[in-house]
């Protein structure tokens, strides 16, 4: 006899209240569901060039040691980051994707009754990480779909928040905050409020927008910079990211991570990927061209979009759920973002020229 029992009631209320993260639909799932072939997936901000061949070779080499636990301290990878950024090894955190850092910052510093601040339309993991530890999230009204830094600081100070999440550029809106604005924000913020500055799309910023947040670490002990190998480095499946911050802050975060949170293939591939500057440059240039192609195409279709600094763009389409389904039938996967309180928008990732073209043709077909 199966016991009559509602197991979800064993979970705390704050866990039951979580709305699960909705990932982009995998190609294999669409094939299974609709029997469509020749699918283009532009739904998860992945790198259409794949990964650096050097990174792939390094991951393959690391397979020979698959029976051994990885280096739980990630010494070799951290050493490359130490050299690149001129920080101490104790200031570097390695994560199972940068997602790990976003969650563990909440785990280390928040508990029930604590508060974290983020922006409306900001990356979905911030509320998930906050709710997951029973803390309260304060979502601050956005300004033109971007972060309103003054309002965020005010909310954090007035409501006694311990942690602020900022995505720059933000996903899914693609909005960008200048280095000057961020630096001024940090200067005005009390030192007892931690800031996670999530720079997952940092490598896509054009020269004119680049800023040196790492140099600010000397000034602001409450700043944590989070980066990933999932996007421009093309290692999304391996799950590896890193964060830079104050040694004492990183020590707290390290205490709550899994001892072996980054596997050996990921560590080896990430090291090689950091070295392959040419691959990142090609990625940047392809993205720039693809962004032009897509935004030009959207304009030609008479559609509004939010100017984006990432490897994706969100555009306004009315009945987004319906258009999304029609695009699926035509073998194009994009991302509905109703869960970001943007029910009339879709987000499309920048792909190869031919993939962008397939998306634009399908969209045109759906609209006419
Ligand atoms: C703004 C932002 N931060 C962090 C991540 C997490 O990426 P990962 O865990 O693969 O490093 C993403 C992924 O979509 C993102 O868009």
């Amino acid at each position: 006899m199966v016991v009559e029992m509602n197991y979800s009631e064993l979970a705390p209320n704050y866990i039951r209240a979580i709305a699960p993260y909705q990932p982009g639909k995998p190609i294999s799932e669409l094939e299974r569901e609709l029997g469509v072939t020749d699918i283009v997936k532009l739904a998860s901000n992945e790198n259409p060039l794949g990964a650096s061949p050097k990174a792939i070779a390094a991951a393959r080499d690391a397979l020979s040691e698959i029976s051994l636990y990885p280096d739980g301290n990630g010494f070799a990878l951290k050493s490359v980051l130490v050299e690149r950024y001129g920080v101490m090894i104790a200031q570097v955190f390695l994560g199972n994707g940068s997602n790990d850092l976003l969650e563990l910052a909440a785990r280390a510093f928040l508990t029930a009754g604590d508060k974290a601040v983020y922006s409306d339309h900001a990356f979905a993991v911030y509320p998930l990480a906050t709710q997951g530890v029973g803390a309260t999230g304060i979502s601050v009204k956005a300004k033109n779909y971007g972060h309103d830094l003054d309002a965020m600081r005010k909310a954090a100070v007035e409501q006694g928040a311990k942690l602020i999440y900022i995505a720059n550029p933000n996903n899914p809106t693609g909005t960008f905050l200048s280095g000057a604005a961020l630096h001024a924000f940090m200067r005005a913020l009390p030192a007892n409020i931690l800031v996670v500055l999530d720079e997952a799309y940092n490598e896509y910023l054009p020269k004119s927008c680049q800023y040196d947040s790492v140099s600010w670490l000397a000034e602001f002990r409450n700043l944590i910079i989070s980066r990933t190998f999932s996007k421009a480095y093309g290692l999304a499946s391996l799950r590896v990211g890193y964060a830079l911050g104050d040694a004492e802050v990183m020590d707290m975060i390290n205490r709550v991570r899994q001892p072996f949170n980054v596997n050996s293939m990921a560590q080896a591939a990430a090291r090689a990927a950091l070295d392959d500057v040419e691959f990142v440059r090609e990625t940047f240039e392809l993205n720039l061209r693809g962004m032009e192609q897509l935004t030009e195409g959207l304009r030609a279709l008479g559609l509004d979009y939010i100017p984006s600094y990432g490897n994706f763009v969100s555009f306004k389409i009315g009945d987004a759920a319906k258009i999304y389904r029609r695009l699926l039938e035509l073998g194009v996967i994009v991302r509905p973002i109703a869960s970001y309180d943007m029910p009339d928008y879709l987000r499309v990732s920048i792909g190869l020229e031919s993939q962008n073209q397939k998306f634009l043709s399908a969209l045109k077909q759906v609209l006419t």
Side-chain angles (χ1 to χ4, degrees), residues 243-275:
L244 307 173
D246 178 75
E248 191 181 344
V249 172
M250 297 327 231
D251 177 27
M252 291 301 112
I253 298 177
N254 267 310
R255 290 180 194 205
V256 291
R257 71 172 170 85
Q258 280 188 47
F260 304 105
N261 61 334
V262 184
N263 71 68
S264 308
M265 278 80 68
Q267 291 188 33
R271 274 172 66 197
L274 278 171
D275 259 359

PDB file of all heavy atoms in Angstrom, residues 243-275:
ATOM      1  N   ALA A 243      34.519  33.804  -9.163  1.00  0.00           N
ATOM      2  CA  ALA A 243      34.192  35.091  -8.557  1.00  0.00           C
ATOM      3  C   ALA A 243      35.452  35.641  -7.919  1.00  0.00           C
ATOM      4  O   ALA A 243      36.338  34.886  -7.489  1.00  0.00           O
ATOM      5  CB  ALA A 243      33.097  34.928  -7.518  1.00  0.00           C
ATOM      6  N   LEU A 244      35.539  36.967  -7.867  1.00  0.00           N
ATOM      7  CA  LEU A 244      36.652  37.657  -7.232  1.00  0.00           C
ATOM      8  C   LEU A 244      36.071  38.567  -6.163  1.00  0.00           C
ATOM      9  O   LEU A 244      35.052  39.227  -6.397  1.00  0.00           O
ATOM     10  CB  LEU A 244      37.418  38.495  -8.269  1.00  0.00           C
ATOM     11  CG  LEU A 244      37.888  37.759  -9.531  1.00  0.00           C
ATOM     12  CD1 LEU A 244      38.483  38.742 -10.536  1.00  0.00           C
ATOM     13  CD2 LEU A 244      38.891  36.674  -9.189  1.00  0.00           C
ATOM     14  N   GLY A 245      36.720  38.582  -5.009  1.00  0.00           N
ATOM     15  CA  GLY A 245      36.200  39.430  -3.933  1.00  0.00           C
ATOM     16  C   GLY A 245      37.178  39.486  -2.777  1.00  0.00           C
ATOM     17  O   GLY A 245      38.331  39.042  -2.886  1.00  0.00           O
ATOM     18  N   ASP A 246      36.722  39.993  -1.689  1.00  0.00           N
ATOM     19  CA  ASP A 246      37.531  40.100  -0.476  1.00  0.00           C
ATOM     20  C   ASP A 246      37.808  38.711   0.105  1.00  0.00           C
ATOM     21  O   ASP A 246      36.922  37.851   0.117  1.00  0.00           O
ATOM     22  CB  ASP A 246      36.752  40.947   0.540  1.00  0.00           C
ATOM     23  CG  ASP A 246      37.491  41.068   1.843  1.00  0.00           C
ATOM     24  OD1 ASP A 246      38.470  41.828   1.880  1.00  0.00           O
ATOM     25  OD2 ASP A 246      37.098  40.395   2.814  1.00  0.00           O
ATOM     26  N   ALA A 247      39.027  38.499   0.588  1.00  0.00           N
ATOM     27  CA  ALA A 247      39.422  37.168   1.067  1.00  0.00           C
ATOM     28  C   ALA A 247      38.499  36.675   2.200  1.00  0.00           C
ATOM     29  O   ALA A 247      38.132  35.493   2.234  1.00  0.00           O
ATOM     30  CB  ALA A 247      40.869  37.192   1.528  1.00  0.00           C
ATOM     31  N   GLU A 248      38.104  37.568   3.086  1.00  0.00           N
ATOM     32  CA  GLU A 248      37.258  37.151   4.215  1.00  0.00           C
ATOM     33  C   GLU A 248      35.852  36.774   3.716  1.00  0.00           C
ATOM     34  O   GLU A 248      35.251  35.797   4.179  1.00  0.00           O
ATOM     35  CB  GLU A 248      37.182  38.298   5.233  1.00  0.00           C
ATOM     36  CG  GLU A 248      36.559  37.892   6.547  1.00  0.00           C
ATOM     37  CD  GLU A 248      36.472  39.071   7.525  1.00  0.00           C
ATOM     38  OE1 GLU A 248      37.145  40.110   7.318  1.00  0.00           O
ATOM     39  OE2 GLU A 248      35.694  38.946   8.485  1.00  0.00           O
ATOM     40  N   VAL A 249      35.362  37.531   2.746  1.00  0.00           N
ATOM     41  CA  VAL A 249      34.044  37.252   2.160  1.00  0.00           C
ATOM     42  C   VAL A 249      34.097  35.907   1.419  1.00  0.00           C
ATOM     43  O   VAL A 249      33.212  35.044   1.572  1.00  0.00           O
ATOM     44  CB  VAL A 249      33.637  38.393   1.190  1.00  0.00           C
ATOM     45  CG1 VAL A 249      32.375  38.029   0.416  1.00  0.00           C
ATOM     46  CG2 VAL A 249      33.447  39.696   1.966  1.00  0.00           C
ATOM     47  N   MET A 250      35.159  35.709   0.629  1.00  0.00           N
ATOM     48  CA  MET A 250      35.274  34.471  -0.138  1.00  0.00           C
ATOM     49  C   MET A 250      35.425  33.262   0.786  1.00  0.00           C
ATOM     50  O   MET A 250      34.945  32.172   0.487  1.00  0.00           O
ATOM     51  CB  MET A 250      36.469  34.551  -1.102  1.00  0.00           C
ATOM     52  CG  MET A 250      36.334  35.628  -2.145  1.00  0.00           C
ATOM     53  SD  MET A 250      34.639  35.898  -2.661  1.00  0.00           S
ATOM     54  CE  MET A 250      34.783  35.818  -4.378  1.00  0.00           C
ATOM     55  N   ASP A 251      36.082  33.471   1.918  1.00  0.00           N
ATOM     56  CA  ASP A 251      36.240  32.395   2.893  1.00  0.00           C
ATOM     57  C   ASP A 251      34.866  31.914   3.372  1.00  0.00           C
ATOM     58  O   ASP A 251      34.600  30.705   3.458  1.00  0.00           O
ATOM     59  CB  ASP A 251      37.090  32.906   4.063  1.00  0.00           C
ATOM     60  CG  ASP A 251      37.249  31.870   5.166  1.00  0.00           C
ATOM     61  OD1 ASP A 251      37.175  30.662   4.857  1.00  0.00           O
ATOM     62  OD2 ASP A 251      37.443  32.261   6.337  1.00  0.00           O
ATOM     63  N   MET A 252      33.978  32.863   3.646  1.00  0.00           N
ATOM     64  CA  MET A 252      32.632  32.480   4.100  1.00  0.00           C
ATOM     65  C   MET A 252      31.912  31.682   3.014  1.00  0.00           C
ATOM     66  O   MET A 252      31.262  30.665   3.283  1.00  0.00           O
ATOM     67  CB  MET A 252      31.801  33.729   4.451  1.00  0.00           C
ATOM     68  CG  MET A 252      32.259  34.474   5.674  1.00  0.00           C
ATOM     69  SD  MET A 252      32.242  33.437   7.156  1.00  0.00           S
ATOM     70  CE  MET A 252      33.980  33.304   7.494  1.00  0.00           C
ATOM     71  N   ILE A 253      32.039  32.137   1.772  1.00  0.00           N
ATOM     72  CA  ILE A 253      31.336  31.468   0.675  1.00  0.00           C
ATOM     73  C   ILE A 253      31.925  30.081   0.439  1.00  0.00           C
ATOM     74  O   ILE A 253      31.206  29.110   0.200  1.00  0.00           O
ATOM     75  CB  ILE A 253      31.375  32.345  -0.601  1.00  0.00           C
ATOM     76  CG1 ILE A 253      30.646  33.673  -0.330  1.00  0.00           C
ATOM     77  CG2 ILE A 253      30.732  31.624  -1.785  1.00  0.00           C
ATOM     78  CD1 ILE A 253      30.666  34.655  -1.471  1.00  0.00           C
ATOM     79  N   ASN A 254      33.244  29.990   0.564  1.00  0.00           N
ATOM     80  CA  ASN A 254      33.893  28.685   0.374  1.00  0.00           C
ATOM     81  C   ASN A 254      33.455  27.658   1.417  1.00  0.00           C
ATOM     82  O   ASN A 254      33.467  26.464   1.168  1.00  0.00           O
ATOM     83  CB  ASN A 254      35.422  28.843   0.417  1.00  0.00           C
ATOM     84  CG  ASN A 254      35.993  29.027  -0.973  1.00  0.00           C
ATOM     85  OD1 ASN A 254      35.681  28.258  -1.890  1.00  0.00           O
ATOM     86  ND2 ASN A 254      36.798  30.050  -1.156  1.00  0.00           N
ATOM     87  N   ARG A 255      33.061  28.143   2.589  1.00  0.00           N
ATOM     88  CA  ARG A 255      32.648  27.209   3.646  1.00  0.00           C
ATOM     89  C   ARG A 255      31.357  26.474   3.312  1.00  0.00           C
ATOM     90  O   ARG A 255      31.090  25.418   3.878  1.00  0.00           O
ATOM     91  CB  ARG A 255      32.474  27.958   4.973  1.00  0.00           C
ATOM     92  CG  ARG A 255      33.808  28.410   5.518  1.00  0.00           C
ATOM     93  CD  ARG A 255      33.644  29.154   6.818  1.00  0.00           C
ATOM     94  NE  ARG A 255      34.893  29.848   7.109  1.00  0.00           N
ATOM     95  CZ  ARG A 255      35.291  30.190   8.324  1.00  0.00           C
ATOM     96  NH1 ARG A 255      34.529  29.922   9.364  1.00  0.00           N
ATOM     97  NH2 ARG A 255      36.425  30.816   8.499  1.00  0.00           N
ATOM     98  N   VAL A 256      30.549  27.051   2.437  1.00  0.00           N
ATOM     99  CA  VAL A 256      29.255  26.414   2.159  1.00  0.00           C
ATOM    100  C   VAL A 256      29.197  25.739   0.784  1.00  0.00           C
ATOM    101  O   VAL A 256      28.166  25.197   0.401  1.00  0.00           O
ATOM    102  CB  VAL A 256      28.066  27.411   2.309  1.00  0.00           C
ATOM    103  CG1 VAL A 256      27.889  27.791   3.765  1.00  0.00           C
ATOM    104  CG2 VAL A 256      28.259  28.660   1.461  1.00  0.00           C
ATOM    105  N   ARG A 257      30.302  25.771   0.060  1.00  0.00           N
ATOM    106  CA  ARG A 257      30.273  25.083  -1.240  1.00  0.00           C
ATOM    107  C   ARG A 257      30.552  23.603  -1.039  1.00  0.00           C
ATOM    108  O   ARG A 257      31.083  23.186   0.000  1.00  0.00           O
ATOM    109  CB  ARG A 257      31.292  25.689  -2.205  1.00  0.00           C
ATOM    110  CG  ARG A 257      32.732  25.387  -1.868  1.00  0.00           C
ATOM    111  CD  ARG A 257      33.671  25.859  -2.956  1.00  0.00           C
ATOM    112  NE  ARG A 257      35.060  25.789  -2.541  1.00  0.00           N
ATOM    113  CZ  ARG A 257      35.816  24.699  -2.627  1.00  0.00           C
ATOM    114  NH1 ARG A 257      35.321  23.574  -3.119  1.00  0.00           N
ATOM    115  NH2 ARG A 257      37.062  24.716  -2.201  1.00  0.00           N
ATOM    116  N   GLN A 258      30.181  22.817  -2.056  1.00  0.00           N
ATOM    117  CA  GLN A 258      30.586  21.410  -2.041  1.00  0.00           C
ATOM    118  C   GLN A 258      32.108  21.349  -2.140  1.00  0.00           C
ATOM    119  O   GLN A 258      32.699  22.132  -2.882  1.00  0.00           O
ATOM    120  CB  GLN A 258      30.050  20.696  -3.274  1.00  0.00           C
ATOM    121  CG  GLN A 258      28.615  20.284  -3.229  1.00  0.00           C
ATOM    122  CD  GLN A 258      28.299  19.425  -4.445  1.00  0.00           C
ATOM    123  OE1 GLN A 258      29.022  18.500  -4.790  1.00  0.00           O
ATOM    124  NE2 GLN A 258      27.219  19.755  -5.108  1.00  0.00           N
ATOM    125  N   PRO A 259      32.733  20.377  -1.466  1.00  0.00           N
ATOM    126  CA  PRO A 259      34.200  20.328  -1.516  1.00  0.00           C
ATOM    127  C   PRO A 259      34.759  20.176  -2.934  1.00  0.00           C
ATOM    128  O   PRO A 259      35.833  20.663  -3.230  1.00  0.00           O
ATOM    129  CB  PRO A 259      34.538  19.093  -0.678  1.00  0.00           C
ATOM    130  CG  PRO A 259      33.350  18.864   0.189  1.00  0.00           C
ATOM    131  CD  PRO A 259      32.162  19.369  -0.559  1.00  0.00           C
ATOM    132  N   PHE A 260      34.026  19.493  -3.803  1.00  0.00           N
ATOM    133  CA  PHE A 260      34.535  19.263  -5.172  1.00  0.00           C
ATOM    134  C   PHE A 260      33.523  19.809  -6.182  1.00  0.00           C
ATOM    135  O   PHE A 260      33.010  19.086  -7.022  1.00  0.00           O
ATOM    136  CB  PHE A 260      34.777  17.769  -5.401  1.00  0.00           C
ATOM    137  CG  PHE A 260      35.711  17.175  -4.393  1.00  0.00           C
ATOM    138  CD1 PHE A 260      35.237  16.362  -3.367  1.00  0.00           C
ATOM    139  CD2 PHE A 260      37.075  17.447  -4.447  1.00  0.00           C
ATOM    140  CE1 PHE A 260      36.102  15.837  -2.420  1.00  0.00           C
ATOM    141  CE2 PHE A 260      37.952  16.920  -3.502  1.00  0.00           C
ATOM    142  CZ  PHE A 260      37.464  16.113  -2.484  1.00  0.00           C
ATOM    143  N   ASN A 261      33.229  21.095  -6.074  1.00  0.00           N
ATOM    144  CA  ASN A 261      32.127  21.654  -6.872  1.00  0.00           C
ATOM    145  C   ASN A 261      32.470  21.877  -8.342  1.00  0.00           C
ATOM    146  O   ASN A 261      31.572  22.062  -9.155  1.00  0.00           O
ATOM    147  CB  ASN A 261      31.599  22.953  -6.233  1.00  0.00           C
ATOM    148  CG  ASN A 261      32.652  24.048  -6.140  1.00  0.00           C
ATOM    149  OD1 ASN A 261      33.838  23.758  -6.087  1.00  0.00           O
ATOM    150  ND2 ASN A 261      32.217  25.276  -6.114  1.00  0.00           N
ATOM    151  N   VAL A 262      33.764  21.872  -8.678  1.00  0.00           N
ATOM    152  CA  VAL A 262      34.130  22.057 -10.089  1.00  0.00           C
ATOM    153  C   VAL A 262      34.952  20.859 -10.544  1.00  0.00           C
ATOM    154  O   VAL A 262      36.030  20.589  -9.996  1.00  0.00           O
ATOM    155  CB  VAL A 262      34.929  23.364 -10.303  1.00  0.00           C
ATOM    156  CG1 VAL A 262      35.211  23.576 -11.792  1.00  0.00           C
ATOM    157  CG2 VAL A 262      34.168  24.561  -9.738  1.00  0.00           C
ATOM    158  N   ASN A 263      34.448  20.150 -11.546  1.00  0.00           N
ATOM    159  CA  ASN A 263      35.108  18.902 -11.951  1.00  0.00           C
ATOM    160  C   ASN A 263      36.407  19.150 -12.726  1.00  0.00           C
ATOM    161  O   ASN A 263      36.679  20.263 -13.186  1.00  0.00           O
ATOM    162  CB  ASN A 263      34.130  18.018 -12.735  1.00  0.00           C
ATOM    163  CG  ASN A 263      33.832  18.584 -14.093  1.00  0.00           C
ATOM    164  OD1 ASN A 263      34.698  18.630 -14.965  1.00  0.00           O
ATOM    165  ND2 ASN A 263      32.603  19.052 -14.293  1.00  0.00           N
ATOM    166  N   SER A 264      37.191  18.082 -12.881  1.00  0.00           N
ATOM    167  CA  SER A 264      38.531  18.225 -13.478  1.00  0.00           C
ATOM    168  C   SER A 264      38.485  18.670 -14.929  1.00  0.00           C
ATOM    169  O   SER A 264      39.322  19.461 -15.372  1.00  0.00           O
ATOM    170  CB  SER A 264      39.278  16.889 -13.426  1.00  0.00           C
ATOM    171  OG  SER A 264      39.255  16.377 -12.135  1.00  0.00           O
ATOM    172  N   MET A 265      37.506  18.144 -15.699  1.00  0.00           N
ATOM    173  CA  MET A 265      37.413  18.542 -17.111  1.00  0.00           C
ATOM    174  C   MET A 265      37.122  20.041 -17.205  1.00  0.00           C
ATOM    175  O   MET A 265      37.692  20.748 -18.032  1.00  0.00           O
ATOM    176  CB  MET A 265      36.290  17.772 -17.832  1.00  0.00           C
ATOM    177  CG  MET A 265      36.674  16.389 -18.292  1.00  0.00           C
ATOM    178  SD  MET A 265      36.614  15.221 -16.947  1.00  0.00           S
ATOM    179  CE  MET A 265      34.873  15.158 -16.631  1.00  0.00           C
ATOM    180  N   ALA A 266      36.224  20.497 -16.353  1.00  0.00           N
ATOM    181  CA  ALA A 266      35.859  21.916 -16.349  1.00  0.00           C
ATOM    182  C   ALA A 266      37.064  22.782 -15.984  1.00  0.00           C
ATOM    183  O   ALA A 266      37.329  23.808 -16.618  1.00  0.00           O
ATOM    184  CB  ALA A 266      34.716  22.154 -15.366  1.00  0.00           C
ATOM    185  N   GLN A 267      37.798  22.364 -14.970  1.00  0.00           N
ATOM    186  CA  GLN A 267      38.964  23.153 -14.546  1.00  0.00           C
ATOM    187  C   GLN A 267      40.004  23.227 -15.661  1.00  0.00           C
ATOM    188  O   GLN A 267      40.559  24.296 -15.953  1.00  0.00           O
ATOM    189  CB  GLN A 267      39.594  22.544 -13.287  1.00  0.00           C
ATOM    190  CG  GLN A 267      38.725  22.677 -12.047  1.00  0.00           C
ATOM    191  CD  GLN A 267      39.446  22.250 -10.773  1.00  0.00           C
ATOM    192  OE1 GLN A 267      40.649  22.424 -10.632  1.00  0.00           O
ATOM    193  NE2 GLN A 267      38.704  21.692  -9.831  1.00  0.00           N
ATOM    194  N   ALA A 268      40.260  22.082 -16.299  1.00  0.00           N
ATOM    195  CA  ALA A 268      41.281  22.036 -17.360  1.00  0.00           C
ATOM    196  C   ALA A 268      40.824  22.859 -18.565  1.00  0.00           C
ATOM    197  O   ALA A 268      41.592  23.643 -19.139  1.00  0.00           O
ATOM    198  CB  ALA A 268      41.540  20.584 -17.762  1.00  0.00           C
ATOM    199  N   ALA A 269      39.559  22.691 -18.951  1.00  0.00           N
ATOM    200  CA  ALA A 269      39.048  23.413 -20.122  1.00  0.00           C
ATOM    201  C   ALA A 269      39.032  24.918 -19.863  1.00  0.00           C
ATOM    202  O   ALA A 269      39.365  25.714 -20.750  1.00  0.00           O
ATOM    203  CB  ALA A 269      37.633  22.924 -20.456  1.00  0.00           C
ATOM    204  N   ALA A 270      38.671  25.308 -18.659  1.00  0.00           N
ATOM    205  CA  ALA A 270      38.602  26.741 -18.339  1.00  0.00           C
ATOM    206  C   ALA A 270      39.985  27.385 -18.426  1.00  0.00           C
ATOM    207  O   ALA A 270      40.139  28.492 -18.949  1.00  0.00           O
ATOM    208  CB  ALA A 270      38.006  26.941 -16.948  1.00  0.00           C
ATOM    209  N   ARG A 271      40.979  26.666 -17.947  1.00  0.00           N
ATOM    210  CA  ARG A 271      42.357  27.199 -18.037  1.00  0.00           C
ATOM    211  C   ARG A 271      42.745  27.422 -19.484  1.00  0.00           C
ATOM    212  O   ARG A 271      43.281  28.461 -19.859  1.00  0.00           O
ATOM    213  CB  ARG A 271      43.344  26.190 -17.439  1.00  0.00           C
ATOM    214  CG  ARG A 271      43.525  26.323 -15.969  1.00  0.00           C
ATOM    215  CD  ARG A 271      44.352  25.180 -15.449  1.00  0.00           C
ATOM    216  NE  ARG A 271      45.724  25.188 -15.944  1.00  0.00           N
ATOM    217  CZ  ARG A 271      46.534  24.142 -15.896  1.00  0.00           C
ATOM    218  NH1 ARG A 271      46.109  22.998 -15.410  1.00  0.00           N
ATOM    219  NH2 ARG A 271      47.762  24.236 -16.323  1.00  0.00           N
ATOM    220  N   ALA A 272      42.483  26.415 -20.314  1.00  0.00           N
ATOM    221  CA  ALA A 272      42.845  26.527 -21.728  1.00  0.00           C
ATOM    222  C   ALA A 272      42.016  27.623 -22.401  1.00  0.00           C
ATOM    223  O   ALA A 272      42.522  28.365 -23.258  1.00  0.00           O
ATOM    224  CB  ALA A 272      42.637  25.179 -22.422  1.00  0.00           C
ATOM    225  N   ALA A 273      40.763  27.735 -22.010  1.00  0.00           N
ATOM    226  CA  ALA A 273      39.874  28.734 -22.621  1.00  0.00           C
ATOM    227  C   ALA A 273      40.361  30.149 -22.326  1.00  0.00           C
ATOM    228  O   ALA A 273      40.318  31.028 -23.188  1.00  0.00           O
ATOM    229  CB  ALA A 273      38.449  28.545 -22.109  1.00  0.00           C
ATOM    230  N   LEU A 274      40.844  30.367 -21.099  1.00  0.00           N
ATOM    231  CA  LEU A 274      41.343  31.697 -20.730  1.00  0.00           C
ATOM    232  C   LEU A 274      42.522  32.093 -21.608  1.00  0.00           C
ATOM    233  O   LEU A 274      42.726  33.265 -21.928  1.00  0.00           O
ATOM    234  CB  LEU A 274      41.782  31.705 -19.258  1.00  0.00           C
ATOM    235  CG  LEU A 274      40.693  31.899 -18.220  1.00  0.00           C
ATOM    236  CD1 LEU A 274      41.261  31.648 -16.829  1.00  0.00           C
ATOM    237  CD2 LEU A 274      40.084  33.297 -18.296  1.00  0.00           C
ATOM    238  N   ASP A 275      43.286  31.091 -22.007  1.00  0.00           N
ATOM    239  CA  ASP A 275      44.477  31.325 -22.838  1.00  0.00           C
ATOM    240  C   ASP A 275      44.126  31.624 -24.285  1.00  0.00           C
ATOM    241  O   ASP A 275      44.904  32.248 -24.997  1.00  0.00           O
ATOM    242  CB  ASP A 275      45.338  30.046 -22.833  1.00  0.00           C
ATOM    243  CG  ASP A 275      46.495  30.193 -21.886  1.00  0.00           C
ATOM    244  OD1 ASP A 275      46.611  31.271 -21.285  1.00  0.00           O
ATOM    245  OD2 ASP A 275      47.274  29.224 -21.739  1.00  0.00           O
TER     246      ASP A 275
END
